[in-house]
Amino acid sequence: MKRCQLITALLFFAAGVLGDAHADTTLIRAERMIDVRTGELISPAAIVIEGNTIVSVNADTTPAGATIVDLGDRTLLPGLFDMHTHLTLDFFTGNHWTTAAVKETPADWALYGVAFGQQTLEAGFTTVRDAGAWPGFPDVALMRAVNSGRVTGPRIYPAGHYLTITGGHCDVTGFAPGVMELGPNQGVANGVDEILRAVRYQAKHGVKVIKVCATSGVFSAGHQPGAQQYSDLELQTIVEEASRHGLKVMAHAHGSEGILAAVKAGVASIDHGSMLTPEIIKEMKKRGTYYVPTIYLSDIPLPENTPQDTIDKSNYLTPFVEKSFRMAVDAGLNIALGSDSGVLRHDEVGKEFHAMVRRGMTPLHALQTATINAADLLGVTDRAELVPGRLADIIAVDGNPLDDIRLMERVSFVMKDGAIIKKP
């Protein structure tokens, strides 16, 4: 091919590419949008998207040939984050949840995740941090399937296997000896050597966060839901080894002693945080540790066939949970939204907003917990605000959630990565 012919061909190719990009331009219009950083209500709102990226907001001109999506009297917000989900778990369908770990397989749990991931995304949550699954990495498989476009779901940061002591919260307990006895490869690790192996095995198989059960819990064997389980040294080892692999650590923690030990070890977040104290809050503020309260759990009944000891532990913790949440809000602690879906229905994750607001948080603060705060906790800067250069993860609700936060329970429009997932 002669040089001039080559140049002509390249120009036609470039024109084709540019033409395709132009054809992928979308303009979303709505009555208003919320700047989640400042709380400013901007009206009207017009957002231009090219491919999967926001390129302009309320520009003076409309791109020629853009696909126009007019949402009318609705409010635009960034796609939401849930920093404590269990997309592959189901405590609310049927009555088998107490035996699911020994009766089902990773294939079952991954298939649950396909359905529950779709529900979560349609509820407006475009990014989630999955807080652990039964052994077999079904959450990692789900992440890969979503990333490759084989299934529809939110962006997933999976924790894989929970790290726990033998017989602790996150181990599979209550069965006869020999039934599902797990080891470091499945997250059950005791002492420094086993912990190193467990963290490295998790990293090898693609997790994006390490989850440690720093204390006992409600939905597991034992009668002390707040007891510290890992020693201070073990917790420090988990955080140090995770950091070598570029991974943050989230800590399930109820009791004060275990919370404080996890905070001092350097975890990124305390999840549940049922028994906070002024000393703990001071230490968390000093270190920038996030609190992920999962407070809506306190507003719903426990699942069918819940054992009596679990009911007793839940009732014991309830007053501590309420006090801790109010202390955290009043103290200005870093807070990110987490629902603990899987223990509650996956299509009810939006109810976490009202649960926080009715306990004293402002509607704007509640929205920030699921956008800019959560993005900061996760360590991402490419989403969570409706500004040029960010990913086109956009939702809409009818009316103004700053006036009525319960509107966040009824998201009517969802766009993820520039693709419309749900329409009014």
Side-chain angles (χ1 to χ4, degrees):
M1 180 181 293
K2 294 181 179 179
R3 186 164 180 252
C4 62
Q5 291 175 315
L6 177 61
I7 292 173
T8 301
L10 289 171
L11 288 172
F12 274 111
F13 174 75
V17 170
L18 292 173
D20 289 343
H22 186 71
D24 289 338
T25 301
T26 301
L27 170 64
I28 299 178
R29 290 175 175 159
E31 179 61 29
R32 66 196 75 82
M33 61 180 280
I34 295 175
D35 181 333
V36 293
R37 191 169 293 278
T38 66
E40 181 184 2
L41 197 66
I42 300 167
S43 181
I47 300 176
V48 175
I49 297 121
E50 289 185 3
N52 70 342
T53 305
I54 296 171
V55 295
S56 70
V57 176
N58 282 351
D60 294 333
T61 59
T62 299
T67 299
I68 297 176
V69 178
D70 195 334
L71 296 175
D73 187 18
R74 292 186 170 87
T75 301
L76 301 180
L77 298 122
L80 306 172
F81 292 61
D82 187 340
M83 292 292 95
H84 194 114
T85 67
H86 297 281
L87 292 182
T88 63
L89 297 186
D90 179 18
F91 279 31
F92 277 85
T93 302
N95 58 9
H96 71 297
W97 66 270
T98 56
T99 58
V102 295
K103 286 189 173 181
E104 297 176 341
T105 69
D108 293 301
W109 305 323
L111 289 171
Y112 286 154
V114 173
F116 297 144
Q118 179 84 36
Q119 289 179 14
T120 300
L121 181 58
E122 290 184 356
F125 290 82
T126 53
T127 300
V128 303
R129 188 178 64 168
D130 199 81
W134 298 127
F137 296 108
D139 53 345
V140 176
L142 182 63
M143 173 193 67
R144 290 198 297 258
V146 170
N147 289 348
S148 67
R150 296 193 301 273
V151 302
T152 301
R155 307 171 194 276
I156 302 170
Y157 291 75
H161 305 151
Y162 322 84
L163 266 60
T164 176
I165 63 170
T166 297
H169 185 72
C170 301
D171 192 3
V172 178
T173 55
F175 300 104
V179 177
M180 208 168 186
E181 301 280 16
L182 307 176
N185 285 4
Q186 295 81 35
V188 181
N190 307 284
V192 169
D193 289 345
E194 287 191 353
I195 284 169
L196 292 174
R197 175 180 169 184
V199 173
R200 291 167 182 174
Y201 191 79
Q202 297 280 85
K204 171 184 176 180
H205 290 286
V207 305
K208 301 303 178 185
V209 62
I210 295 294
K211 162 79 172 288
V212 58
C213 293
T215 73
S216 53
V218 175
F219 287 91
S220 58
H223 300 287
Q224 294 180 298
Q228 181 173 341
Q229 297 199 326
Y230 274 117
S231 70
D232 294 2
L233 175 60
E234 288 172 320
L235 288 169
Q236 292 164 13
T237 300
I238 290 168
V239 172
E240 289 170 2
E241 186 60 27
S243 68
R244 291 190 184 99
H245 299 275
L247 301 173
K248 294 186 177 185
V249 177
M250 60 188 298
H252 158 104
H254 287 291
S256 301
E257 183 180 355
I259 294 172
L260 185 58
V263 172
K264 288 183 174 180
V267 301
S269 70
I270 295 295
D271 292 47
H272 312 306
S274 301
M275 303 173 76
L276 299 179
T277 66
E279 180 189 6
I280 291 170
I281 289 175
K282 181 179 179 181
E283 192 71 22
M284 291 177 73
K285 291 191 72 172
K286 182 175 76 173
R287 295 172 177 269
T289 314
Y290 268 85
Y291 167 53
V292 181
T294 65
I295 196 71
Y296 177 60
L297 287 177
S298 298
D299 296 338
I300 61 174
L302 292 166
E304 185 180 355
N305 293 337
T306 297
Q308 186 60 46
D309 67 331
T310 293
I311 295 172
D312 294 342
K313 286 185 287 184
S314 179
N315 291 339
Y316 169 77
L317 283 176
T318 295
F320 294 102
V321 169
E322 298 294 330
K323 181 181 178 181
S324 292
F325 182 83
R326 288 180 170 86
M327 287 173 58
V329 173
D330 291 345
L333 204 58
N334 288 336
I335 302 176
L337 181 145
S339 69
D340 213 359
S341 65
V343 181
L344 58 86
R345 291 175 56 94
H346 294 272
D347 56 0
E348 293 187 350
V349 291
K351 293 186 177 181
E352 190 73 25
F353 289 102
H354 179 249
M356 292 190 289
V357 170
R358 81 175 188 84
R359 289 173 169 87
M361 184 178 281
T362 68
L364 175 61
H365 191 183
L367 295 175
Q368 290 172 336
T369 70
T371 53
I372 54 175
N373 288 13
D376 181 54
L377 168 57
L378 202 57
V380 296
T381 59
D382 59 354
R383 67 203 86 158
E385 293 185 79
L386 300 181
V387 296
R390 302 297 173 89
L391 290 171
D393 290 0
I394 302 170
I395 67 168
V397 296
D398 301 353
N400 179 8
L402 295 177
D403 294 333
D404 180 6
I405 197 63
R406 300 209 77 156
L407 296 174
M408 300 304 296
E409 300 170 21
R410 302 181 296 277
V411 172
S412 56
F413 172 85
V414 179
M415 170 180 278
K416 177 202 165 194
D417 216 27
I420 295 175
I421 305 297
K422 181 181 181 180
K423 295 180 180 180

